[in-house]
Amino acid sequence: MKNVNHYLSDKECELCVLGTLLVERNAIHQVRELLAPKSFYINFHEEIYCAILAMTDRGDRADIVSIMPELKKRNVEFTPFELASITQNHTFDLVQYACRLNELEKRRSLYELGQYLVSNGSNESEDIEEIVQSANDKLSSIFGGLENHVKTASDYMTEVYQRVNDNLNSISTPGTLTGFSAIDSKGGFQPTNLIICAAESSQGKTAFANAVTLSATKAGAKIAFYSMEMSGSQLMTRLAAIESSIPVSVLTNEKLTSEQLKNFDVSVASLSKLGIYFDDRSTSSIETILASIRSLVIKHQIQGVVIDYMQILTVNKKGGSTEESIAEAARRLKNIAKELNIWILALSQLSRDSTNPVPSVNRLRGSGQINEAADMTILLYRPEVYGKRYPEPFQSTNPKGTALIDIAKGRNVGVFKFIAAFDSTTTHFYELSERPILPFTENESDDNPF
């Protein structure tokens, strides 16, 4: 044990915290900011916590089995029985217990500071100014962790001032390019942002996410893709269809011609170099997905995440309604985007409206709070599917092979709409060089008489 007042420790609390960290999958992320190695009074417990941190930093998960090689590598003496005994301890109030260990650590440090003042203040061998300065430094170090998370208005105004200057000098804010100039001209997808892409079924939500993923990764971004409906193989088949211009149905069901094979080989070479990551575990658990995101940020430095789709996510929230669960998932996705400084594109269903299929945020299925959590909400509409025409101001646009991209909410960028091209055979959204106009007829359709 350390040479400190042993009353300022709690062995049972340390055991409960370590036992929970070794049993629960992503518990470490709840308390990592609260606990330092010296938060543990018992040396063996400190060594275990250091091993857990080292494994987490590598993107691995520490449990009773995987931590053993790590402890051996650190020359820590232990027996499997000792580790098994620790995992018998558990708490559902992990943060509360971690806060207690944090407070006890600070009290021990204050005790040591008091001993230093008593020892050096009672004799004249040390200069009084040096004693005061040293005591101030020690006191600052005890509570200095908080200062790293607290900023003043002046600190943030410096950032605002820099952004205004960048705008004056035509320096764009770093963001991920989507391949759509209307979005990219406003900074693309920005770190910390939660972007919701919503539409009715079969309107191209996954296709839009694929188009963004392809454009972004070609520009050098690294993106993780989580789909509860398609495997990584199926998604890559869609990307290969886009890249090779070969219909998805042909790629999956027919023999390719020699020309198609050449195009396919080129697409394979191109796609294989892109930074796209899949986690194909058959799960829709928000906890598992969040843990995977953290791991990929550590291991591969991903900048963005695509989740397909919101209404399938499951949240361990007892007694809550579907709407509350979806709202909780949206909040947690927003929080992790902010914490890890990445953007997240989450796809969402819209409720059907047979009388007026034009999308609106009021039809977000399951929870209006999705829109509240989002920094940007994108609505997709393909009137061709319904035999309709576009609403104003795009009424004259030919709906065949096109789609409306409606930025219905844009925190810091405003709201706007534009028309994109859509190839249904390859499921490809792409930028239009020129908006196609309907041929003029004297007898217009009754869909939109005015």
Side-chain angles (χ1 to χ4, degrees):
M1 295 218 177
K2 301 169 184 174
N3 186 23
V4 200
N5 187 336
H6 69 275
Y7 293 109
L8 297 176
S9 64
D10 189 333
K11 178 181 177 181
E12 287 70 25
C13 186
E14 292 185 12
L15 287 170
C16 282
V17 169
L18 289 176
T20 305
L21 294 181
L22 289 172
V23 171
E24 293 194 8
R25 178 172 292 277
N26 58 339
I28 181 62
H29 302 297
Q30 299 179 42
V31 297
R32 182 165 186 166
E33 294 298 318
L34 285 171
L35 296 177
K38 63 180 181 178
S39 299
F40 294 87
Y41 179 74
I42 299 172
N43 286 329
F44 181 48
H45 294 172
E46 179 181 347
E47 292 287 358
I48 293 175
Y49 187 66
C50 286
I52 292 173
L53 290 180
M55 295 181 68
T56 303
D57 287 341
R58 296 197 303 266
D60 298 327
R61 180 186 172 238
D63 58 26
I64 187 174
V65 175
S66 63
I67 201 172
M68 290 186 186
E70 184 68 27
L71 290 172
K72 290 178 181 177
K73 187 168 65 176
R74 294 168 171 271
N75 297 316
V76 179
E77 295 184 2
F78 69 95
T79 65
F81 176 76
E82 287 178 294
L83 287 178
S85 297
I86 291 175
T87 57
Q88 298 305 306
N89 300 274
H90 184 273
T91 177
F92 292 106
D93 299 309
L94 180 61
V95 174
Q96 178 182 327
Y97 280 52
C99 286
R100 172 161 174 74
L101 295 184
N102 179 281
E103 180 182 332
L104 288 172
E105 173 203 339
K106 286 181 169 56
R107 289 185 179 277
R108 291 196 295 269
S109 298
L110 287 172
Y111 174 85
E112 291 178 347
L113 176 58
Q115 293 295 97
Y116 168 80
L117 290 173
V118 169
S119 174
N120 291 277
S122 59
N123 65 73
E124 299 182 18
S125 61
E126 292 287 336
D127 182 79
I128 188 67
E129 294 293 336
E130 290 184 4
I131 294 174
V132 172
Q133 182 61 48
S134 178
N136 281 331
D137 291 343
K138 290 177 185 292
L139 190 61
S140 296
S141 68
I142 294 172
F143 298 98
L146 181 62
E147 296 175 1
N148 296 330
H149 302 281
V150 177
K151 293 186 178 181
T152 66
S154 176
D155 295 328
Y156 284 115
M157 279 312 300
T158 301
E159 296 181 15
V160 175
Y161 183 81
Q162 182 62 49
R163 179 166 294 185
V164 170
N165 273 341
D166 288 345
N167 291 337
L168 287 172
N169 295 309
S170 299
I171 300 174
S172 60
T173 305
T176 299
L177 299 179
T178 65
F180 300 100
S181 59
I183 299 175
D184 294 340
S185 63
K186 298 180 184 296
F189 285 175
Q190 291 290 314
T192 76
N193 279 7
L194 172 63
I195 302 114
I196 300 295
C197 177
E200 291 186 6
S201 298
S202 304
Q203 291 291 292
K205 296 183 296 296
T206 303
F208 179 80
N210 286 342
V212 170
T213 299
L214 193 57
S215 295
T217 51
K218 281 186 175 182
K222 296 180 179 180
I223 296 177
F225 207 117
Y226 298 86
S227 175
M228 274 61 79
E229 291 191 313
M230 296 186 187
S231 66
S233 175
Q234 291 172 317
L235 289 165
M236 287 307 298
T237 299
R238 287 198 171 199
L239 293 181
I242 293 173
E243 194 72 356
S244 65
S245 299
I246 302 172
V248 176
S249 59
V250 174
L251 276 179
T252 54
N253 300 312
E254 299 180 21
K255 290 184 178 180
L256 301 186
T257 65
S258 57
E259 186 65 28
Q260 287 174 331
L261 276 173
K262 290 179 183 177
N263 292 338
F264 178 68
D265 288 341
V266 171
S267 72
V268 169
S270 173
L271 293 172
S272 298
K273 299 175 183 177
L274 301 181
I276 307 175
Y277 301 88
F278 301 95
D279 189 338
D280 264 350
R281 281 178 288 186
S282 299
T283 179
S284 58
S285 166
I286 186 69
E287 285 80 9
T288 302
I289 290 172
L290 294 180
S292 176
I293 290 172
R294 291 181 191 278
S295 177
L296 288 174
V297 168
I298 293 170
K299 285 186 173 182
H300 301 290
Q301 297 78 51
I302 60 171
Q303 287 96 44
V305 172
V306 176
I307 296 178
D308 184 8
Y309 57 94
M310 287 288 296
Q311 282 72 22
I312 300 183
L313 290 177
T314 57
V315 179
N316 293 330
K317 188 177 178 67
K318 292 184 179 180
S321 64
T322 300
E323 181 173 347
E324 289 173 335
S325 295
I326 296 174
E328 175 69 13
R331 284 192 294 269
R332 294 180 71 175
L333 290 175
K334 171 57 185 175
N335 288 341
I336 198 171
K338 185 177 179 181
E339 176 190 341
L340 301 179
N341 199 40
I342 61 175
W343 54 262
I344 294 179
L345 172 61
L347 310 187
S348 177
Q349 293 277 20
L350 288 182
S351 298
R352 289 188 177 275
D353 186 341
S354 57
T355 59
N356 182 18
V358 179
S360 71
V361 293
N362 296 327
R363 289 164 52 203
L364 278 166
R365 186 180 294 177
S367 176
Q369 294 182 58
I370 296 176
N371 190 51
E372 293 179 16
D375 296 280
M376 180 183 288
T377 301
I378 302 172
L379 304 177
L380 305 181
Y381 178 47
R382 292 170 51 216
E384 178 183 12
V385 175
Y386 305 96
K388 300 281 187 179
R389 291 173 60 172
Y390 283 109
E392 291 290 359
F394 303 108
Q395 189 179 11
S396 63
T397 303
N398 192 338
K400 185 176 181 180
T402 61
L404 174 66
I405 313 294
D406 180 2
I407 313 302
K409 177 183 178 181
R411 192 171 288 158
N412 300 323
V413 299
V415 297
F416 54 95
K417 303 176 183 180
F418 62 94
I419 301 294
F422 180 73
D423 183 345
S424 59
T425 63
T426 59
T427 65
H428 185 199
F429 278 97
Y430 57 98
E431 186 100 321
L432 271 173
S433 56
E434 184 177 352
R435 183 157 58 95
I437 304 300
L438 284 169
F440 176 78
T441 58
E442 292 188 5
N443 297 319
E444 294 289 346
S445 169
D446 291 334
D447 289 335
N448 291 289
F450 303 104

